[in-house]
Amino acid sequence: MERTFDVIVIGAGIVGSAVAFRLAERGLQVGVLEAAPVPAAQATAKSAAGVRVQFSEAVNVRLSWASIQEYRDFEEAFGVSSGYRPIGYLFLVPRGMEAAYEAALAVQRAEGVPALRLDLEEAARRVAFDPEGLAFATWGPADGVIDPHAVAHAYLAAARSQGAVLYTETPLLEARRERGGWWVRTPRGAFAAGVVVNAAGAWAGEVARRAGFELPVAPVRRMVFMTGPLPEAQGLPLSVDVATGFYLRGEGERVLFGRSNPDEPHGFREGMDWGWLEPTLEAGLSRFPWLERAGLDHRASWWGYYAVTPDHNPILGWMPGVEGWVNAVGFSGHGVQQAAAVGRVLAEEVVDGRARTIDIDPLRYDRFERGRKVQEQNIV
């Protein structure tokens, strides 16, 4: 027998959980289908947990700033702390890229978010680095980290209190449009709904294929490395060497660091790529020489997936030509940063027919058909 809902959300990570709660809050009957045995156990749990407003595109700034404000006030609304800590993000800008980062700062300031330009001496008071080749730094004092796992579970609990139903170990095997709605087959039986929201993270492209169409979202493996105890870790902001893409931040007495491998192939490759450690450290040591004193904690290092799109920006909203299908996919490592706002705007998209509080038109699927990819500068 089919279980029938107004909306089925595919995926119970932080994005799917936020969407499910905001839909249930608007009075819809929501079913959440999660392939894993427990929710928020994939990219959400494996995130580096950063949240920042320092983007170059206004839509990304708006989504991230609205989300940070929700995380800041999370305990008052949900009775659970989001773990938000405004440790700051520091971008070290190389010579030759001054204009691009000045333009990004102008976008951020126009949106009313806290973002500053620092000279190198000011930046060095926040983290020690080799200034060779650098022009200046940008600083986001409201940027920081949250506890994505706790946030996702809080959204799910709130959704369930509004009548939403969570089904774990329930992957979507097939979906088809019939009788004015969607029929979804899973190992736990069939489900029906007028609307499906794809929030399946790295699996979003495969979910779309099982529904009969293509969506340009692919999994790409990413590594996060962790040092042993190091005095410099205390209070260390998330710092990005723009020239190489290397980033680090303090995590208690340790330093968390990483760098995206541009040659990592798309696909569900599993396990740590220890061969990527050497080029990552090479880039890191050139900018942060004090890292040489750090030992690596192999057991505390981990890997996970980015869900990437052709322009490394999310795909949001109704899917053109696929009636009743809504995308919340392809965040390319920025899902935690934008989940809170995405939950709100996609609830508007479904209930009101169109997102209202934030204009998500630049992130709709049809940008690829129109040849208008999002030119986001600040991708880490």
Side-chain angles (χ1 to χ4, degrees):
M1 182 177 177
E2 291 178 354
R3 281 157 283 196
T4 302
F5 296 92
D6 296 322
V7 182
I8 292 172
V9 177
I10 309 299
I14 191 170
V15 172
S17 299
V19 171
F21 167 58
R22 295 302 176 187
L23 288 169
E25 184 184 46
R26 295 292 298 271
L28 274 62
Q29 294 296 310
V30 179
V32 183
L33 309 186
E34 169 57 50
V38 294
Q42 300 299 324
T44 297
K46 297 173 181 177
S47 166
V51 294
R52 62 179 165 97
V53 297
Q54 291 188 81
F55 287 90
S56 64
E57 293 296 312
V59 64
N60 283 325
V61 175
R62 291 168 190 155
L63 288 170
S64 292
W65 181 225
S67 295
I68 286 174
Q69 292 177 91
E70 184 163 316
Y71 299 144
R72 182 192 61 199
D73 303 328
F74 203 78
E75 190 165 7
E76 182 179 344
F78 293 91
V80 176
S81 172
S82 71
Y84 170 61
R85 292 186 292 123
I87 63 173
Y89 262 60
L90 187 73
F91 282 83
L92 302 174
V93 180
R95 288 194 291 267
M97 297 189 70
E98 295 96 329
Y101 277 80
E102 291 281 15
L105 279 170
V107 170
Q108 293 154 25
R109 289 167 179 157
E111 295 299 326
V113 307
L116 304 170
R117 183 189 190 278
L118 302 183
D119 62 36
L120 296 179
E121 185 176 319
E122 290 176 295
R125 287 197 282 269
R126 291 171 168 81
V127 58
F129 59 85
D130 184 341
E132 179 66 28
L134 296 179
F136 59 83
T138 65
W139 172 250
D143 298 346
V145 294
I146 66 167
D147 181 341
H149 191 263
V151 169
H153 278 270
Y155 281 135
L156 273 178
R160 295 170 82 172
S161 74
Q162 297 282 347
V165 183
L166 170 67
Y167 300 88
T168 56
E169 297 183 282
T170 310
L172 181 150
L173 301 177
E174 177 190 4
R176 62 174 183 263
R177 188 80 182 168
E178 60 179 37
R179 300 194 303 274
W182 283 94
W183 176 86
V184 175
R185 181 171 65 87
T186 79
R188 296 187 59 177
F191 296 80
V195 174
V196 170
V197 177
N198 185 357
W203 291 264
E206 178 59 28
V207 165
R209 280 188 288 276
R210 293 179 184 186
F213 64 95
E214 292 294 320
L215 195 62
V217 180
V220 178
R221 186 177 53 163
R222 293 289 183 248
M223 312 298 142
V224 179
F225 302 102
M226 188 77 78
T227 72
L230 197 66
E232 287 87 349
Q234 296 294 333
L236 192 67
L238 201 152
S239 308
V240 182
D241 180 20
V242 172
T244 63
F246 178 89
Y247 68 87
L248 54 74
R249 70 166 173 84
E251 179 65 24
E253 297 181 339
R254 303 163 182 245
V255 174
L256 173 157
F257 67 93
R259 179 177 174 231
S260 294
N261 182 353
D263 297 321
E264 178 72 24
H266 291 184
F268 289 104
R269 305 178 77 198
E270 298 185 354
M272 287 295 295
D273 179 7
W274 293 111
W276 183 239
L277 175 61
E278 184 175 346
T280 300
L281 273 177
E282 183 178 351
L285 288 168
S286 68
R287 185 63 66 200
F288 307 100
W290 50 266
L291 271 176
E292 191 170 21
R293 298 195 302 276
L296 185 74
D297 188 333
H298 286 74
R299 291 179 298 177
S301 303
W302 74 90
W303 65 277
Y305 295 120
Y306 274 16
V308 302
T309 65
D311 61 5
H312 298 276
N313 284 272
I315 304 172
L316 301 180
W318 298 106
M319 183 69 191
V322 185
E323 187 178 354
W325 190 277
V326 179
N327 297 307
V329 301
F331 289 88
S332 303
H334 304 133
V336 166
Q337 303 185 68
Q338 301 181 336
V342 168
R344 291 182 181 272
V345 297
L346 285 199
E348 295 167 359
E349 186 87 349
V350 172
V351 178
D352 304 326
R354 191 169 185 85
R356 295 179 291 104
T357 54
I358 296 175
D359 179 8
I360 61 171
D361 284 358
L363 299 177
R364 294 184 183 277
Y365 170 82
D366 64 5
R367 71 183 186 267
F368 300 115
E369 298 176 332
R370 294 182 286 115
R372 299 187 64 179
K373 294 180 181 179
V374 179
Q375 302 300 315
E376 175 58 56
Q377 181 75 37
N378 290 4
I379 299 294
V380 179

